[in-house]
Amino acid sequence: MPLDTQTGMQGVTPCCIVLTTTADLAQAETLARQIVEARLGACVQLQPIASFYVWKDELCRSPEYRLSIKTRLDRFEALAQFIRAHHGYETPEIVQIPITAGSADYLQWVDAATQD
């Protein structure tokens, strides 16, 4: 990862944030723990949210928990497969957001924490 010596920040990183949601806190905590134990994510943050969406032609509103998973880009496919296999939703949200800049120390920790 090239380091900007002026800011100490990365210009391009091999890391990303993956988002998914669950129906309740218990499911979120279980999935978060499993992801970190499998070393597919270095850190998983949980946030309560309210979601509005159309499912099977019906407008829905549901309380959910968002999981923000910090991982490496090259772990995305394995993480996505893991989420699909362990998730309670028929069509779980699995969205990748590349991290284009960040603290070098933090990104190195993410890299180390997601190694096999």
Side-chain angles (χ1 to χ4, degrees):
M1 289 182 263
L3 179 65
D4 180 329
T5 55
Q6 294 271 317
T7 64
M9 305 297 269
Q10 300 296 332
V12 176
T13 80
C15 298
C16 64
I17 298 170
V18 176
L19 303 177
T20 193
T21 57
T22 62
D24 59 43
L25 180 58
Q27 291 175 23
E29 288 179 346
T30 297
L31 187 57
R33 188 178 317 101
Q34 291 172 331
I35 288 168
V36 172
E37 287 174 349
R39 300 186 71 85
L40 292 170
C43 172
V44 181
Q45 295 171 319
L46 309 178
Q47 301 166 302
I49 60 171
S51 294
F52 291 82
Y53 55 95
V54 174
W55 182 251
K56 298 185 179 180
D57 294 325
E58 184 178 326
L59 179 61
C60 303
R61 182 205 182 277
S62 298
E64 293 185 300
Y65 276 81
R66 174 182 294 134
L67 285 72
S68 299
I69 306 158
K70 284 37 153 256
T71 192
R72 297 190 331 259
L73 288 166
D74 65 2
R75 299 292 276 166
F76 174 73
E77 284 305 321
L79 176 58
Q81 288 177 10
F82 187 91
I83 291 169
R84 282 187 206 96
H86 294 87
H87 207 288
Y89 288 174
E90 183 178 334
T91 306
E93 171 187 8
I94 303 172
V95 175
Q96 178 200 89
I97 303 170
I99 298 173
T100 58
S103 161
D105 292 341
Y106 182 79
L107 296 174
Q108 288 169 356
W109 172 77
V110 170
D111 181 61
T114 55
Q115 296 293 330
D116 287 330

